[in-house]
Amino acid sequence: MDLSFFFVQLISGLTMATFLFLIASGLTLIFGVGKVFNFAHGSFFMLGAYVGYQMSSVWGQNFWLSLVAGGLFAGVLGMVAEFFFLRRIYGRADEGGFQILLTYSFILILDDLVKLVWGTEYKSLAKPESLRGALSFFGIVVPTYNVAVIGIGLFVVIAAWWLLNKTKAGRIARASALDREMLAVLGVNVPMTMTLVFGIATALSGMTGVLAAPLRSVTPGAGIEVIIDSLIVVVLGGLGNFWGAWLAALLIGEVNSFAIVFVPKWATLFSYLVMALTLVFKPEGLFAPRKVRRV
Amino acid sequence: MSNKPFAANSLYLLGFVVLFGLVPILKTTNYQMLLAAHVLVWGLFAVSFNMLFGVTGMLSFGQALYYGMGAYSVGLCVKYLGSAWFFPGMLLGLVLSILFSWLLGHLIIRVSGVFFTMLTLAFGQLGWQVMFKWYSFTGGDDGIQNIIPPGLFANKVAYYYLVLALVGVSIWFLGRLNSSPMGLILRCVRQNPERVRFLGRRVRRNQQRIYCISALFSALAGALMSGVDYSIHTDMFYWTTSGHVILMSILGGIGQFFGPLVGAAVIVTIEDVVGAFTEYWSLIIGSVMLVMVLGLPRGLMGEIAHLRVRFANRPAKLQTRLGEELK
């Protein structure tokens, strides 16, 4: 294999890994803080992409404005969903199942609303003016946009880590994962915290949608594909392990990127294969130190 | 999940079989009989799904895998070997579903809760992708047409009665299972798996068994469906098919053995009515689901049973309320 071709695939895998990680980290954040599994997380990704597309096609071509708009829209909608719907089933017996069912109904509703508003044809979003073209590292040419996405991903990861670990808001979020009652006694509005965390996570998902839109076409069914891929990442990373998810995203991104070269038709099966193998040999996840509670 | 003696449930089942048995005799159109057959097949699928979710507490989002497996075993046998292979194909589907569910069960029962659900979804989608992309063998999204049952059963009415008989026997069997000691253990697994283990019962072995049984009957439903519609499609493997059966169970009531059957009847009817004037079917389904989960989590049959208990035991109302609070 040609070296420069190898690098291009490597970068493309890294880009995909960044998308996967951004979504999986939002999923992990909500799960960690509120023990809520947002099955509709991928739908917020799709919605962000559509809002971004709308922004850039109707209200001017500014990509960065679209990025903010997509994120904001998904974030606000996420908070609305949590505040008016999800909140009502907290604490119910069999909560996990009902969460999945409720967020599953969000997927169905959002999918059709998107079809109603934007139709079923594929939409595409242009890369921002400043990030078209390619960069050259030591004679190896890679697309600028992909490098920028990887950079943004790294920035978000570091920012999220800093927010969670070094700020008061982060401490509150982490505390509400551990002991909500105590936190409430200390005067923190725990339900509001949950709504905000949900909003941040869905905003992240929506922004990722806009970021991914120039590379993959925007379709109504994108939500479910994305949720399965990021779920695989979460499982591989070891259920709720932040850095594990990052490594798992890298693994899945690269496996996919190189599988497309060798077996284009069956490439999508490889991430499932990796997951199945992991479950056989290390059900607690590739990078998890702790064991899954076996029932 | 009520655990009344099976005799009471048998009466319901008998009424159900007689009611559906009358469909071809009464003056109905072929189309109405087709709808009734759909209700029967989806009903079996939903009841077998509910043995997992409603009884054992395992929310599987991948039962479409087995449903599709049953359908495609029949379809592929008929396509490549001829109509006479319809019933051997059905048998093959059942064997394959047991085999696959046994293997997959070992993988996915290791994790619990939402991760179990998501793994079933992931493997279900894996099955869909294989069937979808293996165009040369399965015909991809063209599906398979002209799957006509052989001999006597090429007659629609005869096939309808075959479906009714198989669905009736299957539901009778599942009902027996539900009120058997194993059913009791399964309900315990739902409520308190740790306690089940303390009592010396194996949680995972029971989960594995019911997962296989549910897969078997899902496959039977899929195989029967191929002969009802004379055609199959890769959508039978798609995750929305699993979602469909989940909605039927919730709508009818996961806590009632016959709930999913009622849910199937309601959904097939709504689908028929709504499908006539809008293509935004999943918007309707999603909204119904939202309302059910938030407002009526017991489902139609569950709410009826609940109301009946409340009105029958008016004096004991306080007791009921106390019971509710203790829950």
Side-chain angles (χ1 to χ4, degrees):
Chain A
M1 191 196 283
D2 186 8
L3 190 68
S4 90
F5 178 70
F6 175 81
F7 269 99
V8 169
Q9 283 314 114
L10 196 74
I11 292 290
S12 134
L14 263 175
T15 317
M16 186 181 171
T18 305
F19 295 145
L20 283 180
F21 177 71
L22 285 177
I23 297 159
S25 63
L27 211 57
T28 308
L29 182 68
I30 314 176
F31 194 71
V33 172
K35 294 282 167 286
V36 172
F37 186 85
N38 182 18
F39 194 7
H41 210 65
S43 299
F44 289 99
F45 168 93
M46 171 194 72
L47 214 62
Y50 271 104
V51 171
Y53 160 81
Q54 190 68 37
M55 262 315 251
S56 86
S57 70
V58 177
W59 302 312
Q61 298 286 329
N62 193 328
F63 182 83
W64 305 110
L65 211 62
S66 311
L67 188 67
V68 173
L72 265 182
F73 190 82
V76 170
L77 199 75
M79 289 205 279
V80 167
E82 200 277 345
F83 191 83
F84 288 103
F85 300 110
L86 267 170
R87 183 173 282 193
R88 287 167 201 277
I89 57 168
Y90 292 162
R92 194 188 273 182
D94 298 319
E95 193 189 329
F98 281 113
Q99 276 170 9
I100 290 181
L101 298 174
L102 195 63
T103 43
Y104 167 56
S105 72
F106 293 165
I107 298 181
L108 292 176
I109 292 171
L110 289 179
D111 263 14
D112 255 13
L113 284 182
V114 162
K115 277 184 206 159
L116 262 170
V117 177
W118 286 286
T120 46
E121 317 93 74
Y122 288 20
K123 305 283 185 215
S124 61
L125 190 63
K127 291 177 189 175
E129 201 82 47
S130 51
L131 297 178
R132 284 174 205 162
L135 289 176
S136 164
F137 298 102
F138 309 109
I140 296 156
V141 180
V142 290
T144 313
Y145 187 72
N146 292 46
V147 178
V149 166
I150 296 165
I152 292 171
L154 271 178
F155 171 75
V156 171
V157 173
I158 293 167
W161 177 84
W162 181 78
L163 263 173
L164 269 178
N165 289 287
K166 301 287 174 196
T167 65
K168 191 180 172 210
R171 277 207 299 279
I172 291 175
R174 281 185 298 141
S176 68
L178 294 174
D179 193 340
R180 289 188 189 194
E181 263 176 43
M182 182 53 87
L183 201 63
V185 169
L186 292 175
V188 173
N189 188 343
V190 177
M192 215 53 220
T193 311
M194 200 43 228
T195 309
L196 267 177
V197 166
F198 206 85
I200 292 170
T202 51
L204 204 60
S205 189
M207 258 172 60
T208 314
V210 184
L211 270 182
L215 295 179
R216 48 195 292 177
S217 46
V218 183
T219 64
I224 197 71
E225 285 167 36
V226 163
I227 192 76
I228 294 179
D229 278 347
S230 51
L231 165 92
I232 292 177
V233 163
V234 172
V235 170
L236 274 183
L239 315 189
N241 179 333
F242 203 64
W243 296 109
W246 190 64
L247 288 170
L250 274 184
L251 179 68
I252 293 294
E254 295 299 345
V255 163
N256 256 307
S257 173
F258 283 96
I260 286 172
V261 179
F262 296 113
V263 271
K265 199 172 155 196
W266 301 105
T268 40
L269 301 187
F270 276 78
S271 24
Y272 296 101
L273 207 67
V274 173
M275 183 182 67
L277 283 176
T278 309
L279 283 170
V280 174
F281 295 109
K282 216 164 174 279
E284 64 272 21
L286 278 181
F287 308 104
R290 72 193 165 90
K291 284 232 164 208
V292 176
R293 206 171 124 256
R294 291 190 178 186
V295 179
Chain B
M1 174 73 59
S2 63
N3 187 30
K4 36 183 149 173
F6 189 63
N9 275 337
S10 290
L11 216 63
Y12 280 125
L13 185 60
L14 197 68
F16 161 78
V17 170
V18 169
L19 185 73
F20 275 84
L22 286 175
V23 169
I25 298 167
L26 296 173
K27 284 193 173 167
T28 50
T29 58
N30 265 349
Y31 182 68
Q32 284 161 336
M33 197 170 75
L34 185 78
L35 279 186
H38 276 202
V39 172
L40 285 173
V41 173
W42 277 106
L44 172 60
F45 191 13
V47 168
S48 74
F49 161 78
N50 197 43
M51 291 301 287
L52 273 183
F53 182 41
V55 179
T56 324
M58 301 157 80
L59 175 52
S60 164
F61 229 113
Q63 291 310 93
L65 178 64
Y66 304 111
Y67 180 70
M69 209 176 269
Y72 267 76
S73 297
V74 173
L76 289 169
C77 276
V78 170
K79 182 182 176 185
Y80 289 107
L81 302 168
S83 174
W85 285 79
F86 187 95
F87 292 107
M90 196 180 265
L91 209 62
L92 177 74
L94 301 185
V95 172
L96 281 180
S97 70
I98 286 276
L99 210 70
F100 270 87
S101 59
W102 186 78
L103 282 172
L104 274 185
H106 273 294
L107 287 184
I108 59 185
I109 289 167
R110 290 160 187 242
V111 291
S112 56
V114 286
F115 292 101
F116 170 80
T117 306
M118 291 294 120
L119 284 185
T120 53
L121 172 67
F123 282 111
Q125 284 298 89
L126 177 62
W128 171 71
Q129 285 200 329
V130 170
M131 298 314 275
F132 190 81
K133 293 197 170 161
W134 199 355
Y135 197 91
S136 55
F137 182 55
T138 63
D141 60 348
D142 287 344
I144 299 174
Q145 282 80 35
N146 288 323
I147 306 167
I148 297 167
L152 169 69
F153 293 110
N155 180 311
K156 289 220 175 211
V157 176
Y159 190 75
Y160 177 87
Y161 279 111
L162 176 74
V163 171
L164 179 63
L166 286 178
V167 169
V169 169
S170 303
I171 290 180
W172 173 81
F173 173 80
L174 289 173
R176 271 313 282 265
L177 191 70
N178 181 41
S179 46
S180 72
M182 184 181 167
L184 210 56
I185 295 172
L186 293 176
R187 273 190 289 283
C188 292
V189 166
R190 179 198 173 110
Q191 295 197 334
N192 195 341
E194 235 151 76
R195 188 143 188 187
V196 174
R197 211 174 15 232
F198 289 159
L199 293 172
R201 294 294 184 164
R202 291 167 191 255
V203 173
R204 270 172 64 184
R205 179 177 292 181
N206 279 293
Q207 285 175 325
Q208 172 97 20
R209 275 183 193 154
I210 195 64
Y211 184 71
C212 289
I213 292 171
S214 174
L216 176 73
F217 286 101
S218 302
L220 179 63
L224 287 174
M225 194 57 120
S226 66
V228 171
D229 284 347
Y230 288 179
S231 72
I232 54 177
H233 193 264
T234 40
D235 273 0
M236 292 175 103
F237 278 97
Y238 200 53
W239 69 282
T240 47
T241 303
S242 305
H244 224 64
V245 84
I246 292 174
L247 179 69
M248 288 172 178
S249 300
I250 300 201
L251 189 69
I254 55 169
Q256 304 286 319
F257 182 74
F258 285 99
L261 212 57
V262 175
V266 174
I267 290 287
V268 169
T269 314
I270 295 181
E271 196 171 28
D272 185 51
V273 176
V274 173
F277 61 88
T278 176
E279 58 180 305
Y280 297 104
W281 167 237
S282 72
L283 189 68
I284 311 276
I285 266 203
S287 312
V288 170
M289 188 119 174
L290 194 74
V291 171
M292 294 305 293
V293 170
L294 286 179
L296 306 165
R298 291 190 192 93
L300 297 177
M301 292 289 275
E303 293 295 341
I304 290 172
H306 182 68
L307 285 179
R308 241 178 38 197
V309 169
R310 279 183 63 171
F311 282 108
N313 311 338
R314 273 251 165 112
K317 208 171 165 187
L318 184 68
Q319 230 170 352
T320 322
R321 203 184 300 153
L322 273 178
E324 290 273 295
E325 270 161 25
L326 285 177
K327 250 179 225 169

